[in-house]
Amino acid sequence: DIVMTQSPDSLAVSLGERATINCKSSQSLFYSSKNKNYLAWYQQKPGQPPKLLIYWASTRESGVPDRFSGSGSGTDFTLTISSLQAEDVAVYYCQHYYSTPHTFGQGTKLEI
Amino acid sequence: DVQLVESGGGLVKPGGSLRLSCAASGITFSNAWMSWVRQAPGKGLEWVGRIKDKTEGETRDYAAPVKGRFTISRDDSKNTLYLQMSSLKTEDTAVYYCTTAHYGYFDHWGQGTLVTVSS
């Protein structure tokens, strides 16, 4: 099974500042025949289901603000929030879908 | 708008069984690959399993902790996904979410239903 490891476990960032969350997979998530990285990012606020932010490592889901961006390839990925807003306080998860089981990272709690 | 509405959660004793349902609307359900994801209280997300559509033979995949105990099925005539859970353990206590998962990422989620396994 592919293991997903996020860092840090928690992060405090000031309003308007940049937040960076890292995700490392135990195997490459790049599928060469498709030229895609099989990685997604989610945001979960308290009491709510997770919300898809990014898929294919860098494609923003419709309606997601452009301050959210995803980057990386192979085994190392990053979620960046360019200018933190109060409503971005949440737990963020990465998830691979390269093969089953589709495992998640342990989550990163983002606070102000 | 896509809506996924889970039901069937509740309190069950260890060793017991429970069936969850997920009613889908706003999507062509018969073409959708669907997954269940769970979240234990205060913990992270855990993929439970997936069912593909009929053209892919309704192939099912399961996470190791539930394989042989849980069964995912679908009724395309009712736009409904099911999770039959048996031989339940205390560690199965979680909110269970139904999701769409056609490419493997989870683009639509239900609100979840809580399953509590306790004596």
Side-chain angles (χ1 to χ4, degrees):
Chain A
D1 296 357
I2 297 174
V3 177
M4 307 298 292
T5 305
Q6 292 180 228
S7 61
D9 289 334
S10 63
L11 180 63
V13 175
S14 300
L15 289 174
E17 295 299 303
R18 177 186 298 260
T20 301
I21 298 170
N22 300 301
C23 176
K24 190 173 184 67
S25 59
S26 61
Q27 296 174 217
S28 176
L29 303 182
F30 183 69
Y31 198 166
S32 55
S33 63
K34 304 282 188 184
N35 195 33
K36 290 181 183 295
N37 286 282
Y38 282 51
L39 180 106
W41 288 97
Y42 302 86
Q43 174 194 65
Q44 187 178 29
K45 297 181 179 179
Q48 296 184 20
K51 173 187 172 184
L52 176 67
L53 296 175
I54 303 282
Y55 55 96
W56 303 127
S58 60
T59 301
R60 201 178 302 116
E61 172 72 329
S62 175
V64 172
D66 61 7
R67 64 180 180 274
F68 291 90
S69 63
S71 62
S73 185
T75 61
D76 292 281
F77 302 89
T78 300
L79 174 70
T80 301
I81 308 172
S82 59
S83 176
L84 191 73
Q85 305 299 303
E87 61 264 32
D88 300 334
V89 168
V91 179
Y92 292 84
Y93 296 92
C94 61
Q95 175 240 339
H96 86 84
Y97 45 101
Y98 185 89
S99 59
T100 57
H102 295 327
T103 47
F104 290 87
Q106 79 276 19
T108 295
K109 186 173 185 179
L110 178 58
E111 300 172 309
I112 295 179
Chain B
D1 261 20
V2 177
Q3 267 208 307
L4 301 172
V5 180
E6 302 94 338
S7 60
L11 176 63
V12 61
K13 289 182 166 48
S17 298
L18 206 58
R19 189 178 83 157
L20 307 183
S21 300
C22 169
S25 59
I27 59 171
T28 305
F29 184 78
S30 59
N31 293 344
W33 295 14
M34 302 293 295
S35 279
W36 289 96
V37 175
R38 69 183 180 182
Q39 187 170 35
K43 302 296 185 183
L45 301 169
E46 180 183 22
W47 178 79
V48 171
R50 171 187 71 185
I51 185 167
K52 297 182 182 179
D53 65 356
K54 198 175 287 276
T55 65
E56 296 286 341
E58 296 187 4
T59 303
R60 299 159 177 83
D61 297 286
Y62 298 97
V66 308
K67 197 168 186 178
R69 300 188 298 122
F70 289 12
T71 302
I72 298 174
S73 61
R74 62 191 300 155
D75 185 337
D76 291 346
S77 68
K78 296 181 178 178
N79 288 351
T80 301
L81 176 73
Y82 301 101
L83 179 65
Q84 178 68 48
M85 304 183 292
S86 59
S87 303
L88 281 161
K89 306 176 182 181
T90 55
E91 53 263 41
D92 295 319
T93 294
V95 173
Y96 285 74
Y97 295 103
C98 161
T99 76
T100 54
H102 197 78
Y103 295 103
Y105 56 83
F106 309 123
D107 43 354
H108 301 288
W109 297 67
Q111 288 298 310
T113 187
L114 176 63
V115 172
T116 303
V117 185
S118 174
S119 53

